[in-house]
Amino acid sequence: MDKESITGSEALMRSLLNEGVKTLFGYPGGAIMPVYDALYNHRHELNHILVRHEQAAVHAAQGFARVSGEVGCVIVTSGPGATNTITGVADAMIDSTPLVVICGQVATSMLGTDAFQEVDVVNVTSPISKWSYQIRRAEDIAWAVSRAFFIAKSGRPGPVVLDFTKDAQINLVDFEPNKVNFIRSYEPQPRVSDREVELAVSMINESKKPLVLVGQGVELGNAREELRKFVEKIDAPCGCTILGLSALPSSHPLNMGMLGMHGNLAPNVMTNKCDLLIAVGMRFDDRVTGNINTYAKQAKIIQLDIDPSEFNKNVTVDLSVLGNCKKSLAAITKKVKSAKHDAWKRGFEPYYNKEYKKVIEKAIHPKHGPLLMAEIINAVTEATDNKAVLVTDVGQHQMLSCRYFRFTKGRSVVTSGGAGTMGFGLPAAIGATFGAPERTICLFVGDGGIQMNIQELGTIMEQKSPVKIILLNNKFLGNVRQWQAMFFNHHYSFTPMMNPDYELICKGYGIPCRKIVAREDLASGIEQMLTTDGPFVLHCAVKEEDNVLPMTPPGANVDEMILELQEK
């Protein structure tokens, strides 16, 4: 059969279709124009979402990937178009989000000449991506695209960057589809060791006080059911990282809540009381561990992970079990003894009761005063029957949303975990509406974060993306203000915010908006938001100097949590 001679840009379109791509996020420009011309002829097969800024294209693709489990795809131009994606690429790398970012580039004859809108994208992005490659020949397109998608979605997922020179876009090639499913020296699915499984089984059988730490690796490995069977068989309480929150239903009796600096008191305290810590698909981030020198020193530690570079990186462990946790959990569960740890589980109750009395009850059921962020979050999750997707920006609202939103389904948490990228929320929520169109997407965002990518209201307007936006406005950069209050003698250095009229802004974009100030209007406002077709902004005026508690101060031990602060 004769091969068909087509342009490199057309070859890219066919390669994307060959990978099953249906949705793209992007922004055109000079060096990528041939690709957009080819895209015009495929606009009914490839749904291109025009964002208003290239950073937003990557965050939208992240939101799409997180909720769908598919690879997010981005197309931008060269120079500033490419460099505007860097924050999103770095964010995707640390949070293990599968992306393929395709950037335009000047012609190969112009490389290294400081040509108009030329940037060395490969060297800029190599440290923050799984693979970065420059396509200089049209003949390499099919191979490079297939390899990019294979690398992005296999093993520990992550972003891949393809730098696409203009001559490769316009030159002709005898196109033949390519499918990469093997790369020498790259082992994305390492075999689970029988010996490591046996050692894990022995350690678990001997344990009287096991604690399981649940990370995003459970979601990425599609191992929610394997996790449930495992923890139920060994009767082990669990604590979840922020990105692992929906890996186990919030209502599960073994789910003791969130780990970390602003997590729940019980799992943090019991980390330093357990005799066996089992970390599944989590990387012992410093916001989870607190002071490494005192972290779980009384316990033996087992770490299950697909990425060997995570073993003994932050915390020295007694046993590393390499492999996809879907396989390693199943193998361990099959051989481990059933157990009951009723006394150990009861030990969590006093800490939960203490936190509920001192923090939770006051936060979600305040008797008087201004609206609190926690009570709004709690009201929204109840109104959605705990089935919505939570998307957040970064700040106080992020920590409170992760604490008080509840989950029944997997892939329900979309937030910037490792990078803490303000401006992430709005575009990520747009992407989530395309990745899970059948689900309710609830975005919680602060007045600081929303202004970092507020232009994406234009994308929502054009796409009619049904994002339910809950804007929690405290007129501060709240997270920084809290630290200034606690550690910098209330010196609010450039954290108060002068805000625009958000209702007027929404009106300009044709997005319904309602402002809530009084507590008695909250329920009707949430109902109006959830019953309105398409997007809606619920603008809530909240307490200006509200704090996120509990809190483990930086450098403190994981179990040294502050539950109350003295009012100024």
Side-chain angles (χ1 to χ4, degrees):
M1 182 178 176
D2 293 336
K3 299 175 184 177
E4 184 181 2
S5 186
I6 58 175
T7 66
S9 296
E10 176 63 21
L12 174 64
M13 296 299 107
R14 298 191 189 185
S15 297
L16 293 176
L17 290 168
N18 195 46
E19 294 297 327
V21 175
K22 295 183 177 65
T23 305
L24 305 164
F25 302 89
Y27 202 95
I32 199 69
M33 208 172 294
V35 166
Y36 271 85
D37 189 57
L39 179 58
Y40 183 83
N41 296 321
H42 291 277
R43 62 191 184 279
H44 301 300
E45 304 163 276
L46 293 166
N47 183 26
H48 178 275
I49 312 304
L50 176 65
V51 296
R52 272 46 180 176
H53 191 284
E54 291 90 353
Q55 180 185 347
V58 186
H59 293 328
Q62 287 177 274
F64 173 89
R66 292 272 196 91
V67 298
S68 68
E70 300 175 16
V71 178
C73 193
V74 175
I75 300 180
V76 298
T77 193
S78 65
T83 57
N84 281 345
T85 69
I86 288 173
T87 296
V89 172
D91 192 292
M93 186 66 177
I94 198 166
D95 282 352
S96 304
T97 306
L99 301 180
V100 172
V101 179
I102 301 165
C103 306
Q105 182 56 280
V106 301
T108 53
S109 61
M110 304 294 289
L111 291 172
T113 68
D114 291 332
F116 178 67
Q117 293 191 335
E118 181 196 0
V119 168
D120 187 350
V121 172
V122 170
N123 279 322
V124 168
T125 59
S126 288
I128 55 170
S129 63
K130 279 190 77 176
W131 185 51
S132 187
Y133 180 77
Q134 187 173 78
I135 303 175
R136 297 189 179 191
R137 305 187 317 146
E139 291 84 358
D140 297 332
I141 293 168
W143 166 83
V145 171
S146 184
R147 181 183 170 102
F149 276 82
F150 176 65
I151 291 173
K153 65 188 175 185
S154 60
R156 180 179 183 174
V160 170
V161 178
L162 294 178
D163 192 36
F164 198 7
T165 61
K166 198 162 187 180
D167 46 330
Q169 296 175 43
I170 62 177
N171 288 343
L172 296 178
V173 59
D174 292 335
F175 179 73
E176 186 174 9
N178 196 306
K179 197 65 178 177
V180 173
N181 52 27
F182 171 78
I183 299 173
R184 190 175 61 185
S185 77
Y186 174 56
E187 190 177 7
Q189 292 290 336
R191 177 183 168 275
V192 178
S193 162
D194 293 338
R195 179 177 177 276
E196 290 172 0
V197 168
E198 293 290 349
L199 289 171
V201 167
S202 177
M203 292 170 68
I204 294 167
N205 285 341
E206 293 173 4
S207 171
K208 304 299 182 186
K209 297 186 291 184
L211 177 62
V212 177
L213 309 184
V214 180
Q216 189 191 198
V218 175
E219 296 273 39
L220 297 175
N222 297 311
R224 294 180 80 238
E225 185 63 15
E226 286 77 9
L227 173 74
R228 184 190 63 79
K229 291 179 179 178
F230 171 67
V231 298
E232 288 179 355
K233 187 172 184 181
I234 68 170
D235 198 33
C238 302
C240 300
T241 68
I242 284 176
L243 296 182
L245 281 171
S246 66
L248 191 67
S250 303
S251 61
H252 195 287
L254 291 172
N255 190 339
M256 301 299 167
M258 189 170 97
L259 298 164
M261 177 177 282
H262 290 296
N264 293 107
L265 179 64
N268 279 336
V269 169
M270 300 306 260
T271 295
N272 278 0
K273 292 180 180 292
C274 67
D275 63 10
L276 178 65
L277 206 60
I278 307 167
V280 186
M282 58 86 71
R283 58 188 179 84
F284 291 110
D285 176 75
D286 60 283
R287 289 295 174 99
V288 167
T289 64
N291 183 0
I292 286 287
N293 296 321
T294 60
Y295 182 77
K297 290 301 180 183
Q298 80 296 337
K300 292 183 178 179
I301 302 177
I302 302 173
Q303 185 176 7
L304 282 64
D305 208 288
I306 200 169
D307 183 355
S309 71
E310 291 297 342
F311 294 140
N312 300 308
K313 185 178 79 173
N314 297 325
V315 172
T316 301
V317 302
D318 297 277
L319 175 64
S320 306
V321 182
L322 180 64
N324 187 329
C325 61
K326 188 176 183 69
K327 296 180 180 178
S328 56
L329 282 173
I332 293 170
T333 304
K334 184 177 179 180
K335 295 187 175 184
V336 77
K337 294 177 182 177
S338 295
K340 283 292 179 185
H341 298 293
D342 293 336
W344 166 237
K345 289 186 297 182
R346 283 195 297 272
F348 285 73
E349 293 175 9
Y351 298 106
Y352 170 79
N353 293 335
K354 182 178 181 181
E355 182 184 354
Y356 188 85
K357 182 177 180 180
K358 288 184 175 290
V359 179
I360 297 173
E361 185 175 29
K362 297 174 184 177
I364 64 176
H365 297 305
K367 304 297 184 184
H368 50 77
L371 281 167
L372 300 183
M373 288 182 275
E375 71 173 306
I376 297 166
I377 295 159
N378 182 67
V380 172
T381 193
E382 287 184 348
T384 58
D385 198 24
N386 304 325
K387 293 179 180 176
V389 173
L390 169 68
V391 186
T392 84
D393 206 86
V394 169
Q396 285 183 311
H397 72 274
Q398 177 191 31
M399 296 296 101
L400 289 167
S401 297
C402 290
R403 280 181 54 82
Y404 294 108
F405 215 76
R406 293 181 292 279
F407 309 97
T408 57
K409 299 182 178 182
R411 295 194 176 275
S412 294
V413 180
V414 181
T415 191
S416 175
T421 303
M422 288 182 69
F424 172 91
L426 191 58
I430 295 170
T433 65
F434 289 96
E438 75 288 353
R439 300 189 65 185
T440 300
I441 309 298
C442 292
L443 165 66
F444 290 88
V445 61
D447 48 310
I450 196 171
Q451 292 186 74
M452 285 201 168
N453 267 317
I454 199 168
Q455 76 284 339
E456 296 312 311
L457 291 173
T459 306
I460 291 176
M461 172 183 66
E462 182 172 343
Q463 299 296 331
K464 299 180 174 59
S465 301
V467 183
K468 308 304 180 184
I469 302 170
I470 302 94
L471 170 57
L472 303 176
N473 186 353
N474 58 13
K475 300 181 182 179
F476 270 102
L477 296 175
N479 214 36
V480 182
R481 183 213 57 76
Q482 179 171 335
W483 282 51
Q484 289 173 334
M486 294 177 68
F487 310 119
F488 294 91
N489 199 31
H490 291 88
H491 293 167
Y492 294 160
S493 180
F494 299 98
T495 48
M497 293 281 287
M498 178 179 286
N499 287 315
D501 187 326
Y502 290 109
E503 286 70 46
L504 278 178
I505 290 174
C506 291
K507 184 177 180 181
Y509 284 107
I511 298 173
C513 179
R514 178 176 172 182
K515 187 172 183 178
I516 302 293
V517 177
R519 182 163 287 113
E520 56 266 26
D521 296 328
L522 180 59
S524 64
I526 292 172
E527 182 181 12
Q528 182 182 355
M529 174 182 71
L530 294 176
T531 55
T532 298
D533 289 336
F536 192 96
V537 176
L538 191 68
H539 177 197
C540 300
V542 299
K543 182 179 179 181
E544 291 186 8
E545 295 191 44
D546 196 7
N547 293 305
V548 186
L549 295 169
M551 180 179 182
T552 302
N557 301 336
V558 68
D559 54 358
E560 295 177 338
M561 300 197 81
I562 298 172
L563 296 180
E564 295 177 299
L565 292 176
Q566 293 294 323
E567 293 287 337
K568 179 182 174 183

